[in-house]
Amino acid sequence: MKATVSDIARNCGLSTATVDRVLNNRPGASAANRQRVMEAAKQLGYLPVADQVTLPSKPANLEFFLPIGSNDFMHELAKHIEDYASRLPLVASCRIHNLAGISPNALQNAVEKLSLRANGVGVIAVDHPRTRNILRDMVEAGIRLVTLVSDIPAAPRSAYVGIDNRVAGRTAALLMGRFLGGREGQLAMVVGSRSYRGHEEREMGFRSVLGEEFPNLTVSSAVEINDEPDASYAATMKALRNEPELLGIYCVGAGRSGIAKAIRETRPNRKPVFICHDLTRETRGYLVDDLADVVIDQNARLIAEQSVIQLLGSIASSAPYLTRKFIEPRLIFRENVPVQ
């Protein structure tokens, strides 16, 4: 038989009115009493659980702030968040805000449209003092926060949902070195935006493994293109002209289409090894057409589902932070492209 509010009250020695206030997230209960109620509710199995995360007792209102733009991965992520949230009874509403850029100003303008009913917010944003201040104000107003894809550790977020980006960059370097089999030469790197902590971490990881294990490979150019395909196209064309024997290209963020276009147009005698991130309709085609050699995928569907679950868990929990657990990246080659 399912536990009742009265059972919880008896277990923690508080009134049913106090228990009701805590379970329904209403004011009037001290932090200590909230802790006692939530512990009792967990022990008695009152609160629902998903994937070892305790969920809230009533439906929550969630909002996500994503710099979608023309980024295929962001479109996929937003679609998966909406789809998953729509199938969960514990999500009363789920709203996606398409940020007008990656600047703190874009986030500030969007946050001003945040619903007064919002219980939890998921964010992809740059790691910047103004961004951290915006997120801190949000949390101090009683809203739970989860960062997605690129972390902001100094912000008071309850959880980060995504891959370990430094490990992803190290993996890219290991693959590049193994693909090239001891050859000596130049590589090009196309960086989305170092303002994203995730992109900065990938670059650091990539350079670390090259220095440790593949000193025969040198990054001759590393261009920051702010995820603009035209900028990545121009940077790749320049790299291919300057280094006719360019051995490899690592695309840290978006802008993949510009690199693929440049490789198609120049048709070098020996195609450089091309490694990029995120499995999308576009990158599937690059793998099949032998333009890209491997895609390091962070799994948009799994990030979407975990971000919703982690937000619900943070709303239910009295603890400010949840257990950190990275999503494992997938290595996708031409021969193992998963069915959509």
Side-chain angles (χ1 to χ4, degrees):
M1 182 181 296
K2 181 176 173 61
T4 65
V5 169
S6 296
D7 295 330
I8 297 170
R10 279 194 299 273
N11 183 282
C12 62
L14 296 171
S15 69
T16 55
T18 298
V19 171
D20 183 71
R21 278 194 290 272
V22 173
L23 293 178
N24 290 287
N25 202 27
R26 291 198 294 267
S30 68
N33 283 345
R34 287 183 181 277
Q35 176 72 17
R36 289 166 64 185
V37 169
M38 296 307 290
E39 284 300 318
K42 290 176 187 176
Q43 290 174 11
L44 295 173
Y46 181 86
L47 299 177
V49 173
D51 193 25
Q52 306 304 311
V53 176
T54 301
L55 302 181
S57 58
K58 69 173 187 176
N61 298 289
L62 309 181
E63 302 199 20
F64 290 83
F65 295 87
L66 312 177
I68 300 173
S70 60
N71 188 312
D72 282 350
F73 171 77
M74 295 292 183
H75 277 283
E76 288 281 319
L77 181 61
K79 181 185 73 174
H80 286 303
I81 289 172
E82 289 179 324
D83 177 65
Y84 187 64
S86 69
R87 293 185 278 113
L88 287 185
L90 280 173
V91 177
S93 66
C94 180
R95 184 181 178 196
I96 307 286
H97 300 264
N98 186 357
L99 298 178
I102 66 172
S103 70
N105 279 343
L107 179 62
Q108 181 65 69
N109 292 336
V111 166
E112 289 174 0
K113 301 171 186 174
L114 182 67
S115 169
L116 295 175
R117 298 182 302 136
N119 306 112
V121 166
V123 172
I124 297 178
V126 296
D127 193 353
H128 185 278
R130 287 194 58 206
T131 301
R132 296 193 290 270
N133 194 55
I134 293 166
L135 300 180
R136 192 175 299 114
D137 287 345
M138 189 187 302
V139 172
E140 287 176 356
I143 295 171
R144 293 296 196 185
L145 171 70
V146 166
T147 55
L148 287 67
V149 178
S150 183
D151 198 9
I152 308 176
R157 82 284 191 271
S158 297
Y160 162 66
V161 180
I163 62 174
D164 184 327
N165 283 294
R166 194 166 188 276
V167 168
R170 290 180 65 86
T171 302
L174 181 64
L175 289 167
M176 184 72 76
R178 295 284 174 84
F179 274 129
L180 292 172
R183 295 174 63 197
E184 183 174 342
Q186 306 296 314
L187 306 176
M189 184 186 300
V190 176
V191 183
S193 173
R194 293 186 179 95
S195 298
Y196 281 122
R197 188 181 184 92
H199 289 190
E200 185 181 43
E201 289 173 342
R202 289 177 188 175
E203 181 179 1
M204 289 169 55
F206 187 81
R207 290 183 182 274
S208 292
V209 169
L210 289 187
E212 294 164 10
E213 300 190 37
F214 305 104
N216 51 304
L217 300 175
T218 304
V219 177
S220 59
S221 67
V223 181
E224 191 172 6
I225 52 92
N226 292 313
D227 289 346
E228 291 293 336
D230 289 344
S232 67
Y233 169 75
T236 305
M237 290 295 284
K238 182 178 179 180
L240 290 170
R241 283 196 301 269
N242 292 344
E243 298 286 346
E245 299 299 319
L246 188 71
L247 296 182
I249 303 172
Y250 174 40
C251 183
V252 173
R256 298 167 291 258
S257 61
I259 297 172
K261 180 182 177 184
I263 293 174
R264 276 198 185 101
E265 289 184 4
T266 57
R267 297 187 181 278
N269 292 330
R270 186 191 293 270
K271 184 190 78 66
V273 173
F274 176 25
I275 297 175
C276 61
H277 290 266
D278 302 330
L279 187 67
T280 65
R281 179 184 55 80
E282 179 182 74
T283 55
R284 286 170 182 270
Y286 300 159
L287 288 168
V288 171
D289 294 341
D290 276 336
L291 286 171
D293 294 274
V294 61
V295 171
I296 302 173
D297 183 47
Q298 53 189 328
N299 201 329
R301 180 190 59 77
L302 189 55
I303 289 179
E305 293 178 359
Q306 283 299 308
S307 66
V308 172
I309 290 296
Q310 293 292 329
L311 266 182
L312 292 174
S314 68
I315 292 166
S317 175
S318 57
Y321 303 108
L322 301 180
T323 303
R324 192 179 192 191
K325 181 181 178 182
F326 289 118
I327 287 174
E328 296 295 330
R330 303 184 297 178
L331 299 182
I332 310 297
F333 301 89
R334 185 186 66 184
E335 300 299 333
N336 72 330
V337 176
V339 176
Q340 286 180 296

